[in-house]
Amino acid sequence: MTPKLILAVVLACAVVAAWVRLFLWRRNAPREGAGSLWRVIALAGLQPVWAVLLFFCLFPPGVRTASVDLVVATAGTSRTAAPAPGTTLIALPEAPALAGSEPAPDLGTALRHHPGVRQITVRGGGLTARDRDAAQGIAITFDPPPLPKGLVSISPPPRVAPFAGFRLGGQLSGLPGATVDLIDPAGRVTDTQTVADDGHFIVSGTARSAGLATFVVRIRDARRQVVEQAEVPVQVEDQAPPRLLIMAGAPGPEVKYLRRWATDAGFAVTVRASAGGGVQIGDAPIAINAATLRSFDAAIIDDRSWAGLAGQRADVIRAVQGGMGLVLRSGGAPEDGALAQWRALGFTVSGRGGVVPIALSVTTDADLARTRRGVPPPDAVTEQDMGDDFLPAINRLAATPGGDGTVPLLEDAGGATLSAWRAMDRGRVAVFTGIDSFGLVLTGKTDLYGDWWSTMLSTVSRPVAGVAPAFAGPAWVGDRVALCGLSRDARIEGPDGALTTVRTGAAGCAGYWPVASGWHLLRKTGPGDDERVWPFYVQPADGLAGVRAARDRDATLMLGKAAPDPAEATHEIPEVPGSPWPWFIAWLVASAGLWGLERSRLGRVPTTV
């Protein structure tokens, strides 16, 4: 029961009790002292009036306020901004000082002070995370400013294994012809890339020993002048190397280079190749059954080996359904039976068959970066070292995998699909139409070779269990960080070692406002009361200014699209509690009148002596 309903029930019971008392008093009193009938009626009538006035004094009825339009000034608002007639200008804390504005600590406070708001107009860069929840459901007008020059988006890598490579992407605005350098914690430039026409870039780096590291992204304009530097957090975490099974119908250079790459990439590799006559070469022989395959995270099997697994193919498929990843690669022009096996896994195969060359770009971005640094491509074999007759051909099947639920994974420079994958229960299976991809290594395109196989294996491999991230996206000093996935109150250890307890709400989320930049450790309790630690990085208040501006800008635009139409918003004007003072004065007058009538002798029949 609500307090309002409880009070109404209590007052009603009090009035009924007063009426019963008044009736009993009149019935039992001597005839001469009972009083006239009008006196009893007046007393009985004033008692419910007194109760109603007391109820409205404590819970005054709501009144509809006049509709109000707010102009909300945020960071970057022009100092010459002035409210239009009939509007109120609200200055949030990050807005500059504006004449005629009403300061407010946040948008929620401003809306409580102006309950009749039907529409808000946002000026400046947009609403921050602190104010976006309060703006839900309100019509929003927002004319976004242009993106600032510099870095406006960045995607740090997820957790990286020690000595493994990683890629970091982002986007620049207003800097045509710019270059991006990735600098490791030791101050060495690990990669340099020219930004694409749309501003996007991807740079590569290599993690070192386990721990929390901070790389630096350096932005240089077309004149090679440094315009911005940003810190990028990288979490290097020790973990068991993923186990990879490579099966081939015959030994060859493809298996050799594939094993070399996988070992360098941090896989625990097991190779099984057939030498004919039932002889297997490679690592120690293993049985292909459900128990053995359960220990592998991914498998690469060529078409000849797949055809030879007639009796064990069901075990492989069950392993994939249980979470193991599978890549089927082609070793040459396939027979109809091989394509039929692809179709049996849910793929459709279109094309005329045969073998065609893979369309490759003349020079990769990685090659251009090395050229600028004066570093020759690794493992490159030039035409001076080998004649044209010795350079391997890099071909693919003239067949395109597809089908319902199939996702293209790799394309060549001509747009032909080289690889596609589809889900199979809890696992994934992919097909690769490339033939003799090791030729990329021999022709100096080692990075492209690694990108192909890294993309395929990272997509299909069994996911590694770990602690889910507490939040997504960068955080800044003084900005609210929403931490979710907490089963109970958690603690946060700052860069200085100080511990802060955050209170978890009903949805398992908590708010945290960091006061220092650097690595923070979220310590939360998991199942069995075991403590788990999740690191996250907090940028300085002035760090990644362009990324922060782009975030607020895009989030405010999203709010504006999801908000109701301003014309519809005017139909519902909220009610606010009215003033209790008129009701209190009326109750006071009724109480005085009731008390005076009770005590006075007015209407009483005089007693005889």
Side-chain angles (χ1 to χ4, degrees), residues 28 55 68 131 133 138 243 261 274 307 319 350 392 408 429 431 471 489 496 504 533 589 591:
N28 298 328
F55 178 84
V68 179
D131 302 313
D133 290 342
I138 300 177
R243 295 195 61 189
W261 169 83
S274 175
S350 60
V429 58
V431 294
F471 78 104
D489 293 345
D496 58 353
T504 305
V533 178
V589 171
S591 298

Side-chain angles (χ1 to χ4, degrees), residues 188 270 386 413 559:
R188 297 185 297 264
T270 300
M386 301 175 64
L559 281 175

Side-chain angles (χ1 to χ4, degrees), residues 126-434:
L127 298 174
T128 65
R130 177 199 62 219
D131 302 313
R132 288 196 285 269
D133 290 342
Q136 297 283 347
I138 300 177
I140 297 176
T141 300
F142 178 51
D143 185 15
L147 289 172
K149 288 187 177 182
L151 192 65
V152 295
S153 175
I154 192 164
S155 300
R159 292 177 297 167
V160 182
F163 305 103
F166 64 87
R167 295 194 296 177
L168 182 151
Q171 184 180 9
L172 302 183
S173 173
L175 291 174
T179 56
V180 179
D181 301 326
L182 181 64
I183 305 173
D184 66 10
R188 297 185 297 264
V189 177
T190 64
D191 195 8
T192 300
Q193 296 291 333
T194 300
V195 177
D197 294 338
D198 60 359
H200 287 88
F201 66 87
I202 296 177
V203 288
S204 302
T206 302
R208 300 300 175 188
S209 57
L212 304 177
T214 304
F215 284 67
V216 173
V217 170
R218 183 172 62 195
I219 313 299
R220 295 183 293 166
D221 59 18
R223 296 177 298 176
R224 300 298 183 264
Q225 299 295 320
V226 176
V227 296
E228 185 177 355
Q229 288 194 162
E231 296 180 344
V232 180
V234 176
Q235 180 183 354
V236 186
E237 183 176 294
D238 272 324
Q239 56 188 14
R243 295 195 61 189
L244 174 64
L245 173 63
I246 300 176
M247 296 182 63
E254 184 77 333
V255 177
K256 169 187 172 182
Y257 283 97
L258 186 55
R259 177 172 190 160
R260 178 185 297 178
W261 169 83
T263 302
D264 292 342
F267 287 88
V269 184
T270 300
V271 174
R272 172 176 163 168
S274 175
V279 178
Q280 299 289 334
I281 62 175
D283 296 306
I286 60 171
I288 305 300
N289 53 43
T292 302
L293 295 174
R294 198 177 298 120
S295 64
F296 286 95
D297 299 296
I300 302 174
I301 305 177
D302 69 358
D303 48 8
R304 290 180 58 183
S305 292
W306 186 252
L309 288 174
Q312 301 149 307
R313 200 173 297 152
D315 289 333
V316 177
I317 292 176
R318 278 195 294 269
V320 174
Q321 293 172 339
M324 186 187 79
L326 173 63
V327 177
L328 295 179
R329 69 176 182 88
S330 176
E335 301 175 355
D336 292 339
L339 295 181
Q341 294 299 337
W342 288 15
R343 295 187 181 98
L345 293 174
F347 294 92
T348 62
V349 182
S350 60
R352 57 184 176 83
V355 177
V356 295
I358 293 178
L360 299 173
S361 59
V362 176
T363 308
T364 66
D365 291 339
D367 295 335
L368 290 174
R370 292 192 189 93
T371 301
R372 284 192 294 269
R373 299 198 303 269
V375 179
D379 301 329
V381 180
T382 65
E383 295 184 11
Q384 286 74 21
D385 301 323
M386 301 175 64
D388 289 343
D389 294 339
F390 291 93
L391 287 175
I394 306 172
N395 300 320
R396 65 174 177 87
L397 299 181
T400 302
D404 294 338
T406 301
V407 181
L409 191 56
L410 294 177
E411 292 182 349
D412 67 4
T417 300
L418 298 177
S419 178
W421 69 270
R422 66 186 307 273
M424 185 177 290
D425 203 350
R426 290 187 294 170
R428 294 177 176 182
V429 58
V431 294
F432 179 49
T433 64

Side-chain angles (χ1 to χ4, degrees), residues 481-557:
V481 178
L483 304 171
C484 292
L486 309 178
S487 58
R488 62 187 71 177
D489 293 345
R491 296 180 302 164
I492 297 178
E493 181 179 340
D496 58 353
L499 290 174
T500 302
T501 301
V502 291
R503 301 299 179 187
T504 305
C509 295
Y512 175 64
W513 284 260
V515 297
S517 62
W519 284 100
H520 291 61
L521 302 178
L522 171 64
R523 301 183 179 275
K524 59 181 183 178
T525 304
D529 292 333
D530 59 323
E531 186 179 62
R532 296 185 177 181
V533 178
W534 181 264
F536 63 95
Y537 190 80
V538 175
Q539 298 282 346
D542 57 352
L544 294 179
V547 176
R548 190 173 187 176
R551 180 205 64 172
D552 295 343
R553 176 184 184 271
D554 294 343
T556 307
L557 283 174

